[in-house]
Amino acid sequence: MVATENQSRWSFWLLFLLLVAAGLSLVAVPMYVIRPFRVQGAGELEIALALVRWAPIWTVIDGVLAALVAILLWRGSSMTRWRTAGRRLLVLAGMLLVASAAVMARVNLFERMFRPVTGAQFVAASDASVDDDDMVLAVRVGDQARAYPVRTMAYHHLLNDTLAGEPLIVTY
């Protein structure tokens, strides 16, 4: 009887840990795959985009299931006071991770990370430090020209500028 009860308790712990890992994976995998300056394969990008699309609903389902298992684990902690407190702390930490994943699944991190450039500063071409293999976006209006480094634009995506008196929005 005691062995079956212990096996059941370990099964619930394993299930809880798998639910926490699944919730975190729904957010972590797309964050890892869809990041700038990294080559993404078509298959892995397709999986990451599917996870981004379905993560909001699946993290809620994962959270509900994890909460149900957490309740069972919380109630089943009937050992010494310190062991009970330690196990309950693990359950609480796991639930915080699952809840964090559910919130993160609803936030576009890249949108928050990539802000338009404000107050851009420019230097003469002779003073610019651009490596030979750096790509630039070049714009010419009349007799004036500017070059915007792609590595900078990739982080910001938008830059408001004025060239030869003409307003300009540079994007990458």
Side-chain angles (χ1 to χ4, degrees):
M1 179 78 176
V2 175
T4 307
E5 190 176 311
N6 277 342
Q7 288 174 338
S8 176
R9 188 175 306 141
W10 280 110
S11 297
F12 282 127
W13 274 106
L14 180 61
L15 178 60
F16 183 69
L17 292 175
L18 288 173
L19 287 167
V20 171
L24 292 174
S25 296
L26 287 167
V27 175
V29 169
M31 284 174 53
Y32 175 76
V33 172
I34 309 170
R35 64 183 199 276
F37 306 115
R38 180 184 173 278
V39 177
Q40 295 113 358
E44 68 179 335
L45 189 58
E46 186 177 337
I47 291 169
L49 292 174
L51 287 174
V52 166
R53 183 178 29 232
W54 290 101
I57 186 71
W58 281 108
T59 53
V60 169
I61 293 168
D62 183 73
V64 169
L65 293 173
L68 292 173
V69 175
I71 290 168
L72 293 172
L73 291 172
W74 191 276
R75 288 184 177 170
S77 298
S78 61
M79 304 202 160
T80 65
R81 188 181 333 189
W82 292 110
R83 288 180 77 181
T84 299
R87 288 180 181 183
R88 287 184 173 177
L89 187 61
L90 286 174
V91 169
L92 184 61
M95 285 308 301
L96 285 173
L97 288 172
V98 169
S100 297
V103 170
M104 298 285 282
R106 288 155 180 74
V107 175
N108 185 344
L109 297 176
F110 298 107
E111 184 178 298
R112 294 191 175 275
M113 185 170 40
F114 301 128
R115 300 281 184 187
V117 177
T118 57
Q121 299 175 356
F122 302 97
V123 296
S126 59
D127 297 334
S129 61
V130 179
D131 296 334
D132 291 339
D133 60 343
D134 280 350
M135 294 186 298
V136 297
L137 298 171
V139 178
R140 178 179 293 278
V141 177
D143 61 346
Q144 292 185 3
R146 288 239 170 84
Y148 306 92
V150 169
R151 68 182 146 146
T152 302
M153 292 302 301
Y155 278 110
H156 298 286
H157 294 287
L158 290 174
L159 178 121
N160 294 314
D161 194 9
T162 304
L163 185 60
E166 295 291 323
L168 171 45
I169 296 177
V170 182
T171 184
Y172 175 78

